Amino acid sequence: MSRKFKLFLLIVVIFLLVLFSIVNAQAITINLFFTTIRIPLVVLVLGCFVVSFLVAMMLLLSTIMKKNRLLNRQSKQVEQLLADSNANFSEDAQAKINELEQTTHRQSREISDLRHKLASYILEEADENQTN
């Protein structure tokens, strides 16, 4: 996208956010267990949005961390197999090494894809938060 189009989009989103804030400026009462609080509706909506965004990011990061741990374990297994073997690999050992290398490569791509998704999601949320 061109820089002018992004600026135009940002201005439109800011305008819509300001309009949303004006329309939803009335205070609402929230009953907690032992107390009540009054806050503007827009603060509640944006707060819920931020909390849901943070929960989604934590879940995505935990998935990435699990994949990284699995990848590290498999990489160590491959290294161990290579270190333990000599120039004359048996067919079984070579097949296991190939299988682990393929699995490691596939999971590396998955981790990379998840990182790209996380980065794009963070950028989209940042754009949305700027507009809010």
Side-chain angles (χ1 to χ4, degrees):
M1 280 190 275
S2 72
R3 194 174 182 115
K4 289 180 182 181
F5 182 71
K6 286 181 181 179
L7 180 62
F8 174 75
L9 263 173
L10 180 64
I11 291 170
V12 169
V13 170
I14 289 173
F15 173 75
L16 291 174
L17 181 63
V18 169
L19 186 63
F20 177 76
S21 298
I22 291 171
V23 170
N24 293 299
Q26 69 271 17
I28 60 168
T29 302
I30 299 175
N31 293 317
L32 301 173
F33 291 107
F34 300 107
T35 186
T36 60
I37 57 173
R38 291 186 56 80
I39 59 171
L41 179 60
V42 69
V43 171
L44 178 65
V45 170
L46 292 176
C48 289
F49 174 77
V50 168
V51 168
S52 64
F53 173 76
L54 292 175
V55 168
M57 288 299 102
M58 286 190 296
L59 291 173
L60 187 58
L61 286 175
S62 71
T63 302
I64 290 173
M65 290 172 59
K66 286 178 186 176
K67 293 281 186 182
N68 273 334
R69 276 184 293 219
L70 182 61
L71 180 63
N72 288 337
R73 265 196 315 267
Q74 290 175 342
S75 294
K76 288 178 184 176
Q77 287 177 347
V78 168
E79 290 173 9
Q80 186 65 36
L81 284 172
L82 289 173
D84 291 347
S85 65
N86 56 17
N88 299 326
F89 290 117
S90 70
E91 288 184 17
D92 293 336
Q94 186 63 43
K96 181 68 174 175
I97 290 171
N98 290 341
E99 177 185 330
L100 288 173
E101 286 175 341
Q102 289 173 356
T103 304
T104 301
H105 184 29
R106 186 181 68 248
Q107 289 176 341
S108 292
R109 285 192 312 252
E110 289 176 9
I111 289 171
S112 178
D113 292 344
L114 286 172
R115 285 182 179 152
H116 289 295
K117 286 179 184 177
L118 175 61
S120 65
Y121 189 72
I122 289 172
L123 290 175
E124 289 174 11
E125 292 299 323
D127 288 344
E128 288 180 16
N129 285 340
Q130 286 179 356
T131 59
N132 291 337

